[in-house]
Amino acid sequence: MRRYIHAYGYGYLLLLPVVLYIVAFQFYPLIETVRLSLFDYSLLASGPMSFTGLDNYLALLTEDRAFWRIFQNSLLWVLGSTALQFLIAIPAALVLFSKIKWRGLWRGLMMVPWVSPVVVIGIIWKWIYDGHYGLLNHYMSELKLIQENIIWLGHEYWVWPALLLTSAWKGFPYITLMLLSGLTGLSKDMIEAAHVDGANAWQRFTQIILPLLKPIIYVTGLVSIVASWTKFEMIWALTGGGPGYATSILPTYLYTHSFVYFDLGKGSAIATLSMLLVLVIVVLYVRLFGRNLD
């Protein structure tokens, strides 16, 4: 034991603050959330909380008419915003990797949306989407694309494209940065050899660059999915989950039940279900895209 402590004790001592932090601020809240989900616990109720077992879960899954719509909204939010971010980030990374003038400046400006606070970005885009004085309506009217103003954040059809566009604008710099790091590490000799052999730009991208970037795309996509699932500030700042529950996702539904209605039992059940659902999505993602990365 003395030898073991002498060999590894200092390393464990250095890890101790991190372990204590994870236990105190990660594991304990997680276990407490699962425990509270088994109780009827409302801060507005006069009596003590009572054990109800799985009643909160059954009520959400079978009686709550809004739950499954909100679950669909969550999938749309996560998968839609992640796909749109990649759609913007891949060409952006290729452009910023090429030898363009003032490349360093453009790379720096590209990071502005990512490092800006989410709430500030949400307020700015809310002004842009304003149905009466917003810049989007103004310029689309000037270009004769619309005849009358659109209430972007209150329209049943246009509200989700508006939200996904904002989320993509906020999140694509992170993916672009990761792809840029991958492009920097690629062998230029292989790409130049393909060019000498007659491969055009599209063939070099699809047959050489993209396969070599698969590990980075895989990890970045996984991080983006988890981050999009747990982040709801953008939706809360733009629509508050409305109108009604039209743009609510599970985190906003959790926030509403826990900190608006003060129903901590049902809010904890929503949080637990949300955790399980994102775990299922991650497992499916790993099974589908985690193979043949080498």
Side-chain angles (χ1 to χ4, degrees):
M1 180 61 69
R2 289 182 178 178
R3 292 179 181 176
Y4 186 84
I5 294 176
H6 180 74
Y8 303 105
Y10 184 67
Y12 286 128
L13 184 63
L14 294 177
L15 290 174
L16 184 61
V18 177
V19 173
L20 291 177
Y21 174 85
I22 292 175
V23 170
F25 297 102
Q26 298 290 335
F27 288 133
Y28 171 73
L30 180 63
I31 295 172
E32 184 67 9
T33 298
V34 176
R35 186 185 74 85
L36 287 178
S37 68
L38 303 176
F39 287 84
D40 181 10
Y41 182 31
S42 174
L43 297 180
L44 301 179
S46 57
M49 64 180 184
S50 58
F51 181 79
T52 58
L54 300 177
D55 287 356
N56 286 324
Y57 297 98
L58 294 175
L60 286 170
L61 296 175
T62 61
E63 300 175 10
D64 193 335
R65 296 181 179 179
F67 179 80
W68 289 109
R69 181 182 182 184
I70 291 171
F71 171 66
Q72 293 174 0
N73 290 344
S74 301
L75 292 180
L76 175 61
W77 171 251
V78 172
L79 301 180
S81 61
T82 301
L84 195 56
Q85 287 171 29
F86 270 101
L87 192 63
I88 300 173
I90 290 176
L94 293 174
V95 171
L96 294 175
F97 180 69
S98 62
K99 296 179 180 180
I100 59 175
K101 190 176 183 181
W102 299 339
R103 183 173 62 176
L105 174 63
W106 302 127
R107 288 182 175 181
L109 292 176
M110 181 267 299
M111 297 301 297
V112 171
W114 189 47
V115 300
S116 300
V118 177
V119 176
V120 174
I121 296 297
I123 293 174
I124 292 174
W125 278 89
K126 194 171 185 177
W127 290 342
I128 294 174
Y129 290 137
D130 187 87
H132 301 288
Y133 309 106
L135 290 176
L136 183 58
N137 277 331
H138 171 73
Y139 287 114
M140 291 188 73
S141 298
E142 290 292 323
L143 296 172
K144 308 299 182 183
L145 296 177
I146 57 176
Q147 301 298 324
E148 57 183 16
N149 288 344
I150 298 175
I151 311 297
W152 297 97
L153 299 179
H155 195 283
E156 182 179 0
Y157 177 79
W158 291 111
V159 62
W160 271 110
L163 289 174
L164 293 176
L165 176 62
T166 307
S167 175
W169 183 82
K170 168 66 178 173
F172 90 91
Y174 165 72
I175 299 177
T176 304
L177 183 65
M178 297 298 292
L179 294 178
L180 274 174
S181 66
L183 289 170
T184 304
L186 294 183
S187 174
K188 295 182 179 180
D189 294 336
M190 185 182 299
I191 299 174
E192 292 176 356
H195 179 65
V196 171
D197 290 340
N200 56 36
W202 177 251
Q203 291 172 332
R204 294 196 299 271
F205 172 71
T206 56
Q207 302 298 324
I208 298 177
I209 296 176
L210 201 57
L212 292 176
L213 290 178
K214 281 177 63 177
I216 294 178
I217 294 175
Y218 168 75
V219 175
T220 306
L222 183 60
V223 172
S224 299
I225 287 174
V226 175
S228 299
W229 187 274
T230 56
K231 301 280 186 181
F232 75 102
E233 300 96 327
M234 185 69 71
I235 288 181
W236 196 258
L238 287 171
T239 66
Y245 292 116
T247 58
S248 289
I249 58 176
L250 287 174
T252 62
Y253 202 43
L254 158 65
Y255 181 88
T256 301
H257 275 281
S258 299
F259 303 110
V260 177
Y261 303 145
F262 298 106
D263 188 350
L264 299 185
K266 195 170 184 179
S268 298
I270 296 171
T272 305
L273 286 175
S274 178
M275 177 185 64
L276 293 176
L277 290 171
V278 73
L279 183 61
V280 170
I281 291 175
V282 168
V283 170
L284 291 176
Y285 179 88
V286 171
R287 290 289 182 89
L288 291 174
F289 302 107
R291 302 173 183 176
N292 303 321
L293 293 178
D294 298 333

